[in-house]
Amino acid sequence: MERDATGRRVKFLPAAVVGNGALLATLSARGEVERLFWPSVDWGQHLGELRLGLVAGGSATWLDEDEDDAYAQAYVEDANAVRTGGPLAELVDFALPEDVLIRRVRPAADNARVLLYCRPELDESVRYGSAYVDTGTGALVFYRRDRALAIGLWGEFAAACGGQSGSIREEAERGELPRRTIDQGAVDGALLAAQTGPVDVALAFGASPAEALALLRSTLLRSPEELLERRVSDDRAGLTGETSEPALSALYKRSLLVLDLAADRASGGVIAAPEFDSVFAGCGGYGFVWGRDLAYIVLGMLAAGRSDQARAGLRW
């Protein structure tokens, strides 16, 4: 299968998706977050790169560099959470109702620290962004106009950012985070856990740095285990209706769960799919609401007893 420019992802073919109707993230088969949409599922996406690695012995190993067949990926049963098992770590990804993406990292070895590297492209722009490390929380903050992303870890960690004065990436790969705290233009940044072992990551969006940081702070006060339990519980409670064909039950439930992610909670429009071909190289654009598709989707919503979703789609 054809790869994109990174060589790590199948071109035009995300493997999984998580979200909440405002935040929408696509994942590769290796567990790398490919695209991150917010505050609408059909809005411009915000990532250049978001990668996880393990630092040991003065160097970093990225979790997404093995061949595809080295990974096993599946949705948590009846829930919009994705588990990816790889040679170096297991990941669990899910979104909160409050526009936060959670990434749970469980390394296979106990002698490495988790590293996160982020090079954002807020509103799909590599220019005019800013970044800094918040002195109050230690979190890494990226912002551009009314788009802000704050990233932090549960537990102790170090953070740094780079940009026009030099990318942070090479230093992060050596397990070194220099004391750069603010930059502008094309920016990137990294977080490094202080301790070895499992780590949980939170990425919070807001319309300003203060709003994103407030959401990050409140999230980090809660238990990641309880947040995942809540995601699973809420998803399973929303599986309305039933099918008379037991063999189709899993497909039926997953279809409803996918509709929850593709339906924009503000407008009611349901996109055909998360946009993965924004230059229309191979299609006419999947990140749109297509009238024909929406007609079938509304009929499906009505058949499943989801009249509120159907009304929102028709209002759109």
Side-chain angles (χ1 to χ4, degrees):
M1 289 182 285
E2 185 182 2
R3 300 280 171 172
D4 68 5
T6 69
R8 302 186 301 272
R9 313 167 188 159
V10 177
K11 197 170 186 179
F12 306 142
L13 190 63
V17 62
V18 296
N20 64 9
L23 183 155
L24 183 61
T26 64
L27 302 171
S28 76
R30 304 179 185 186
E32 181 182 0
V33 178
E34 298 176 322
R35 294 172 180 83
L36 192 56
F37 301 85
W38 181 87
S40 299
V41 299
D42 60 349
W43 205 274
Q45 74 93 25
H46 305 300
L47 282 186
E49 285 189 304
L50 177 63
R51 302 185 71 186
L52 291 167
L54 299 178
V55 174
S59 64
T61 303
W62 299 110
L63 301 185
D64 52 34
E65 291 190 327
D66 287 283
E67 295 300 317
D68 288 355
D69 58 9
Y71 297 83
Q73 189 177 68
Y75 285 99
V76 174
E77 185 177 3
D78 296 345
N80 279 322
V82 175
R83 180 175 286 108
T84 306
L88 299 178
E90 179 184 85
L91 307 176
V92 176
D93 291 277
F94 62 99
L96 306 184
E98 300 85 3
D99 298 346
V100 180
L101 177 67
I102 304 295
R103 309 210 73 195
R104 309 200 72 194
V105 189
R106 298 297 178 265
D110 58 6
N111 64 340
R113 293 182 291 161
V114 172
L115 168 70
L116 179 145
Y117 172 77
C118 185
R119 179 176 56 81
E121 294 180 3
L122 297 179
D123 273 343
E124 303 189 358
S125 175
V126 298
R127 298 181 178 87
Y128 316 125
S130 293
Y132 68 95
V133 176
D134 179 60
T135 56
T137 62
L140 182 61
V141 182
F142 300 104
Y143 67 99
R144 180 179 182 272
R145 296 178 178 167
D146 56 352
R147 303 285 180 261
L149 173 63
I151 310 175
L153 311 181
W154 274 265
E156 298 296 321
F157 62 93
C161 61
Q164 290 178 327
S165 59
S167 169
I168 207 77
R169 178 166 180 158
E170 290 186 4
E171 294 154 300
E173 288 179 332
R174 296 193 297 269
E176 302 170 1
L177 294 189
R179 293 180 60 84
R180 292 192 213 129
T181 60
I182 189 165
D183 221 314
Q184 294 175 308
V187 293
D188 65 357
L191 302 177
L192 181 61
Q195 305 297 325
T196 60
V199 162
D200 297 290
V201 183
L203 300 96
F205 277 103
S208 67
E211 184 175 303
L213 280 166
L215 181 54
L216 179 67
R217 289 191 195 97
S218 64
T219 300
L220 295 178
L221 292 175
R222 303 160 70 185
S223 161
E225 290 82 4
E226 292 179 359
L227 292 173
L228 178 57
E229 290 173 2
R230 176 189 170 190
R231 171 81 275 169
V232 173
S233 176
D234 287 351
D235 285 338
R236 292 176 178 172
L239 293 175
T240 57
E242 60 184 26
T243 173
S244 59
E245 297 289 339
L248 297 178
S249 181
L251 177 60
Y252 170 74
K253 292 177 181 179
R254 181 54 53 190
S255 297
L256 292 179
L257 290 165
V258 169
L259 286 179
D260 286 338
L261 304 184
D264 188 83
R265 71 186 185 198
S267 71
V270 187
I271 58 174
E275 185 57 74
F276 48 80
D277 184 14
S278 56
V279 297
F280 305 156
C283 70
Y286 278 88
F288 291 96
V289 181
W290 294 95
R292 174 199 58 194
D293 298 45
L294 185 59
Y296 285 113
I297 289 168
V298 167
L299 290 173
M301 289 172 170
L302 291 171
R306 295 187 163 198
S307 56
D308 288 345
Q309 277 189 329
R311 288 192 188 95
L314 291 173
R315 281 197 299 268
W316 182 94

